[in-house]
Amino acid sequence: MAAIDVDGLSMVYDNGFQALHEVSVSAEAGEFITLLGPSGCGKTTLLRLIAGFLQPTEGTIRLGEEDITGLPPEKRDTAMVFQSYALFPHMTAVGNIQFGLKQQRLPKPEQLDRIEKSLAAVSLEDQRDKRPVALSGGQQQRVALARALAMRPSVVLFDEPLSNLDAKLREQVRFELRALQREFGFTAVYVTHDQAEALAMSDVVYLMNRGRIVQHGPPEAIYRRPNSRFVADFLGVANIFEGRVLSNSGSRYSVSSPFGELDVESDVPPSAEHLYLCWRPEDARLTSSQSGGQNHFDLRVTESVFLGNLTDVFGHPTDAEDTTVRVQLLQHGRVEPGTTISVAIDPANIRFLEPIELAPVGVSA
Ligand SMILES: Nc1ncnc2c1ncn2[C@@H]1O[C@H](COP(=O)(O)OP(=O)(O)O)[C@@H](O)[C@H]1O
Ligand SMILES: [Mg+2]
């Protein structure tokens, strides 16, 4: 049974702007799902709809078996952790955590018990009597999290909760959040524009663009099998190029490309004869220049950056001077600009993306 089930949700704001177009998202109980996408794509809108701070123009939201679409926020079994933390400045850490429990009129002993447990869960016992102004950003973020945990909601909604923390702390808190989620067993809907965060934390990632879900799946699946240039590019780095499918034998395709004729191995058939394809920089293997053979080409290096664990190399295929390619070589030394290296791409590491929209005849660009 799905813990949360968003079906065909559309949102038109009062000014007529449509922020969401028939968005559907679901999470199993205890699952951690992420809404990932660029700023302005509708992530916060979707989260606020689930929380009940906004009413959708169309669509339904279910929590377990219950249709909660029309319920006010306080009647929903959800809690939200905001990017800004949204703590009450005049209240201590304990006061902030207790606020919602009082509103729910929980018996006092139960309130105190929950406060202790959630303070302990975020390791803030010794900061309990401080007001937000006396706490660091990371500590305020923990208070906000403890406040949500204390409500014991079945769903916690996170709106970019780590974006105000510095990089090192952000990485650490990722792991802690995931551990807390397992311990408390809530379902998480987590919003971020940070692809690394989404890949690191999620069971399932929903990638959004311009108010629509453009692809969803486990992190490995959407990283390895992007279905469009947008996804390939947003989720890491990709070499994207145009190709034309020439022939196939089962799942093995022959494709003409700026790198010459490529073999592509794909369970997913191409969406059109003329389409975009991609491969990831780390999928390139160094070969010896004499080897020739399948999906093999020479690269004239224009720039290279040694990063310790890998070397990032930019260059032009010798047969396609106007195409720029990026390859990442693991545990490799510096590569001098001006030299030529030979690389090969495994057919299974090349992906079909969306069709190329050809301009109508008679219309010039
Ligand atoms: N109250 C509002 N009225 C009109 N447009 C809004 C309102 N709130 C947000 N928007 C617009 O809706 C789009 C999505 O916003 P938002 O959900 O905040 O995106 P994200 O969280 O992904 O950055 C943006 O173009 C934003 O300008
Ligand atoms: Mg937002």
Side-chain angles (χ1 to χ4, degrees), residues 15-93:
N15 65 358
F17 179 76
Q18 182 157 9
L20 295 178
H21 301 259
E22 293 172 38
V23 164
S24 296
V25 163
S26 68
E28 302 293 319
E31 223 172 21
F32 194 112
I33 69 164
T34 297
L35 311 174
L36 172 68
S39 178
C41 72
K43 305 180 297 294
T44 295
T45 301
L46 180 49
L47 214 57
R48 293 176 69 85
L49 285 164
I50 297 172
F53 301 130
L54 291 174
Q55 272 298 309
T57 314
E58 251 179 88
T60 55
I61 304 168
R62 256 184 227 93
L63 208 63
E65 300 285 81
E66 191 190 4
D67 185 339
I68 60 164
T69 317
L71 288 186
E74 65 275 11
K75 296 257 172 64
R76 301 184 180 200
D77 190 10
T78 60
M80 189 139 162
V81 179
F82 298 89
Q83 176 172 8
S84 58
Y85 314 139
L87 299 176
F88 297 114
H90 59 288
M91 290 184 188
T92 63

